[in-house]
Each structure stands twice: as C-alpha cells, then as structure tokens.
C-alpha cells in the first residue's frame, strides 16, 4: 500500500485489495467503487478462488456496488482499479454507466481502454466514463511484476 501522512486514497484501498489477492494466490488486482466520496464496494480478483472466469476485481466490485445501490446503473459512481480493464470489464463498466474510471498500470496485452480494442472509443459503446490512467501506476506495476516473477 502507498504510505504517507494523509489518509489512504481510494487507489490506496484498491492497491491493498490487490496486495491481499496476491497473498491469496490470485493475480494482484484490486478495485474500489466510490459514491459520494464513500467506498461502497471493494474487491480483488477471485477467478481461482471462485473457479469463475468472470471473477475479475471490477466485476466483483460492480456486483457488490449494484446490490448496495439497488440498481444496475451506477451513474454517480467512480471506479478505481489497479490494472487497465479488459474488454469484459470495460463492457461491464459501460453497462453500469460508471461516471469515472481511474486505473493504475496499463495492460498492453489484455487491456481494452487505452490498449487493445479501446472499448470506450468504439461506436457501439453505450456509455464511456471519464478515464484517468496512471493513478498509482508504479505500485500497481510493482505488485504485478513481483507476483509473476515469483511464479516463473
């Protein structure tokens, strides 16, 4: 987690979730959904734990947030995630109508926001959030590199 004198930022909380996922053997990706400056959902990758290919941190967090809000539309919510979302997650973010997306490390192989298919720029995309990349990038990249280095 990024340490400092201030209270943890929302990305710090996502990074902590990512770190916990890595300790559990999952790819270290964490996600936080925020509404009115309050965290309403925190999640980490659960694909191995749940034996679920859709168990990405973003999907798990969006499901939890939608339950808390009582709607599949999260129009006044912001999402913080440690890695650039894949196509599946970008699609879910779009369908949920998330207001803003903040992500840490770019994913040139699997990302779909500013890499790969660039989902939000597609003419068939229903909704594109405001996107802010590189938030907590160095810490997110460090967690991922360390995780995969240990497995080689």
């Amino acid at each position: 987690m990024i340490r400092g004198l201030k209270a943890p930022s929302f990305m710090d909380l996502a990074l902590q979730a990512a770190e916990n996922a890595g300790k559990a053997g999952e790819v270290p990706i964490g996600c936080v959904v925020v509404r009115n400056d309050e965290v309403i959902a925190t999640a980490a990758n659960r694909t191995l734990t749940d034996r679920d290919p859709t168990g990405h941190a973003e999907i798990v967090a969006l499901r939890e947030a939608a339950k808390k809000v009582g709607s599949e539309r999260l129009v006044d919510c912001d999402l913080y995630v440690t890695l650039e979302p894949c196509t599946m997650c970008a699609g879910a973010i779009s369908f949920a109508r998330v207001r803003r997306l903040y992500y840490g490390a770019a994913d040139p192989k699997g990302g779909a926001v500013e890499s790969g298919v660039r989902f939000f720029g597609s003419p068939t995309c229903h909704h594109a959030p405001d996107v802010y990349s590189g938030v907590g990038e160095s810490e997110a990249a460090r967690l991922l590199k360390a995780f995969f280095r240990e497995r080689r």
Side-chain angles (χ1 to χ4, degrees):
M1 181 150 112
I2 299 174
R3 307 247 189 258
L5 298 176
K6 294 182 183 180
S9 72
F10 297 128
M11 185 56 84
D12 288 333
L13 298 174
L15 287 163
Q16 184 60 59
E19 190 173 318
N20 291 341
K23 290 176 184 174
E26 295 279 358
V27 175
I29 300 170
C31 183
V32 172
V33 179
V34 176
R35 182 180 189 202
N36 299 325
D37 290 323
E38 180 183 331
V39 174
I40 61 169
T42 303
N45 267 15
R46 298 188 52 86
T47 57
L48 299 174
T49 302
D50 294 349
R51 302 286 188 246
D52 179 1
T54 68
H56 291 199
E58 299 95 310
I59 301 295
V60 176
L62 287 169
R63 286 175 181 155
E64 181 181 333
K67 284 180 185 174
K68 284 189 180 169
V69 169
S71 173
E72 74 283 5
R73 300 286 189 239
L74 302 172
V75 295
D76 54 354
C77 294
D78 301 331
L79 187 143
Y80 294 78
V81 64
T82 57
L83 184 66
E84 178 181 2
C86 70
T87 306
M88 174 183 68
C89 293
I93 290 165
S94 176
F95 284 120
R97 306 298 197 265
V98 168
R99 177 177 54 188
R100 293 183 199 106
L101 165 64
Y102 299 86
Y103 74 84
D107 186 358
K109 287 184 179 179
V113 176
E114 294 176 340
S115 304
V117 300
R118 298 177 182 238
F119 183 84
F120 299 131
S122 169
T124 59
C125 178
H126 296 287
H127 165 78
D130 295 332
V131 176
Y132 303 90
S133 60
V135 180
E137 180 177 17
S138 60
E139 182 66 10
R142 185 195 64 74
L143 284 171
L144 287 161
K145 286 176 185 172
F147 177 83
F148 287 112
R149 186 173 33 253
E150 290 174 15
R151 273 143 189 82
R152 287 187 190 138

